[in-house]
């Protein structure tokens, strides 16, 4: 599931699916409560490649303009930890690659970014203002701000 889909689709889903069926759209909390994992991605080129958009959406259920107030079906929000897992270890697990990637663990591929703030602790309004300082793929620096 792509978190960014929720924030781009929320404007038309109730009109096309009806209100009752909308309740089950992007039902992340309900799914997590069953014990499943939710692999998250960008769905580029349909959605923007910026993973912070999905992270923000998963924890706020709001678009970049903080709409709607309180979030769209806010009871379906995830925690920041769950949002991070949905973008790291859970996709690796879904691809049967959790022993090779998905977390910073000795022996795994070193793919990671360094951000200019801690998205796990800042307020939601700061997440989309975050900048990437460094990107490392397979242990090699491929981007430095």
């Amino acid at each position: 599931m792509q978190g960014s889909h929720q924030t781009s689709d929320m404007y038309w889903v109730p009109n096309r699916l009806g209100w009752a069926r909308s309740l089950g759209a992007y039902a992340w909390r309900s799914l997590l409560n069953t014990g499943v994992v939710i692999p998250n991605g960008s769905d580029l080129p349909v959605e923007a490649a910026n993973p912070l958009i999905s992270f923000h959406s998963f924890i706020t259920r709001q678009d970049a303009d903080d709409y709607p107030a309180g979030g769209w079906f806010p009871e379906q929000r995830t925690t920041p930890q769950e949002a991070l897992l949905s973008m790291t270890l859970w996709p690796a697990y879904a691809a049967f690659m959790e022993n090779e990637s998905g977390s910073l663990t000795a022996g795994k591929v070193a793919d990671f970014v360094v951000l200019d703030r801690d998205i796990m602790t800042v307020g939601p309004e700061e997440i989309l203002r975050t900048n990437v300082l460094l990107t490392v793929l397979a242990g090699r620096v491929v981007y430095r701000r």
Side-chain angles (χ1 to χ4, degrees):
M1 285 191 187
Q2 292 80 22
S4 57
H5 275 296
Q6 180 261 307
T7 51
S8 64
D9 294 357
M10 66 182 173
Y11 306 103
W12 58 262
V13 166
N15 291 333
R16 293 191 188 165
L17 299 181
W19 190 255
R21 289 176 64 202
S22 297
L23 295 172
Y26 314 99
W28 304 321
R29 172 58 42 216
S30 295
L31 288 168
L32 290 170
N33 288 346
T34 71
V36 302
V37 299
I38 300 175
N40 186 0
S42 70
D43 200 25
L44 182 73
V46 175
E47 297 286 344
N50 183 350
L52 295 169
I53 295 169
S54 280
F55 184 87
H56 179 264
S57 176
F58 259 67
I59 67 170
T60 66
R61 309 273 303 182
Q62 294 176 308
D63 66 15
D65 296 319
D66 298 321
Y67 175 85
W72 190 67
F73 299 117
E75 67 278 3
Q76 295 297 335
R77 287 187 196 115
T78 72
T79 66
Q81 182 67 28
E82 291 163 334
L84 182 63
L85 285 167
S86 81
M87 303 172 84
T88 56
L89 192 55
W90 291 347
Y93 172 79
F96 304 100
M97 295 179 63
E98 68 272 22
N99 294 321
E100 295 86 31
S101 64
S103 64
L104 292 175
T105 306
K108 290 187 178 184
V109 177
D111 293 344
F112 62 92
V113 296
V114 176
L115 306 174
D116 68 352
R117 65 197 78 199
D118 183 353
I119 62 170
M120 302 300 285
T121 61
V122 298
E125 68 281 355
E126 291 293 314
I127 293 168
L128 296 177
R129 296 182 191 140
T130 301
N131 295 297
V132 174
L133 301 177
L134 184 77
T135 302
V136 177
L137 293 174
R140 291 181 41 225
V141 174
V142 296
Y143 172 79
R144 185 181 313 267
R145 184 174 180 155

